[in-house]
Amino acid sequence: MRPVSPGCGDALRLLAAATNAKAVVEIGTGTGVSGLYLLQGMRPDGVLTTIDTETDRQQAARQAFRAAGFAANRARLIPGPALEVLPRLADGGYDMMFCDGDRRDYPECLEEALRLLRPGGLVCFSGVFAEGRTMATAAPPASVLRLRELLRAIRENRELIPALLPVGDGLLCAARR
Ligand SMILES: C[S@@+](CC[C@H](N)C(=O)[O-])C[C@H]1O[C@@H](n2cnc3c(N)ncnc32)[C@H](O)[C@@H]1O
């Protein structure tokens, strides 16, 4: 399990602040590194909803948020697979979505983001460089094929304004018009 890099974390904190985010959904809580950056950028009354299949990691994240001084009600930690949890979240209820779970789920996460984000909301996908393999041609793994599918879907969607930020292992962001 790899947390976001400091550069990626800074970008997430900036984007959460720039969108004046009150409700953020994160896929891939891990031990809470990206969550801490997001909470720092969000409004002081903002709530981070964060999803992970591993409850022990979420427990560590909960402790990290508390140790950093964030009240317990600032983070809602939901255990389970992203594609089972996301459909339960409210339409148009989120300012920002950060995806850092299973790369093979990214195309479906984009579909969910289009439903969950308010107009002007932002979706960000971590790890889109796939350590340099995204455009490699020889026998790409399923995760790389799914990343290419994601890139195509974002490029072709007129509702989205994308930018690929060269931080960490590539942070692909798109604002919903
Ligand atoms: C790269 S780590 C997340 C790191 C975290 N964002 C950070 O910066 O601290 C990926 C996480 O996604 C979780 N994960 C993997 N597949 C998932 C799925 N289908 N649904 C939700 N979480 C998943 C893993 O358990 C792991 O904790």
Side-chain angles (χ1 to χ4, degrees):
M1 199 216 62
R2 206 165 12 153
V4 293
S5 69
C8 184
D10 283 349
L12 291 172
R13 181 172 53 193
L14 170 78
L15 294 168
T19 50
N20 195 28
K22 186 171 181 194
V24 174
V25 59
E26 173 184 61
I27 296 149
T29 312
T31 54
V33 177
S34 49
L36 282 170
Y37 282 103
L38 288 165
L39 283 165
Q40 287 166 7
M42 293 168 68
R43 283 167 43 162
D45 59 344
V47 174
L48 172 70
T49 297
T50 179
I51 303 164
D52 204 297
T53 45
E54 306 296 322
T55 47
D56 53 337
R57 291 183 187 159
Q58 287 195 313
Q59 199 50 38
R62 194 191 306 276
Q63 286 168 11
F65 299 158
R66 293 309 303 274
F70 292 105
N73 62 3
R74 296 284 316 276
R76 181 167 65 135
L77 294 104
I78 306 181
L83 298 185
E84 288 181 19
V85 176
L86 289 172
R88 307 203 304 254
L89 304 183
D91 290 12
Y94 293 86
D95 304 298
M96 183 172 170
M97 177 163 157
F98 172 55
C99 302
D100 194 21
D102 190 332
R103 277 49 176 159
R104 291 168 300 183
D105 290 347
Y106 275 10
E108 286 81 12
C109 288
L110 175 65
E111 283 173 29
E112 288 294 336
L114 294 172
R115 180 181 68 77
L116 293 171
L117 292 175
R118 64 163 167 82
L122 197 62
V123 60
C124 302
F125 294 89
S126 178
V128 295
F129 291 158
E131 295 168 336
R133 289 174 304 158
T134 309
M135 291 305 158
T137 47
S143 57
V144 165
L145 293 174
R146 298 288 278 163
L147 278 172
R148 290 183 192 165
E149 203 179 310
L150 172 79
L151 295 174
R152 204 163 38 242
I154 290 184
R155 193 177 53 233
E156 289 173 359
N157 190 322
R158 315 281 297 191
E159 208 187 329
L160 295 172
I161 302 173
L164 177 54
L165 307 186
V167 292
D169 192 28
L171 185 68
L172 178 58
C173 303
R176 188 185 157 203
R177 284 185 196 275

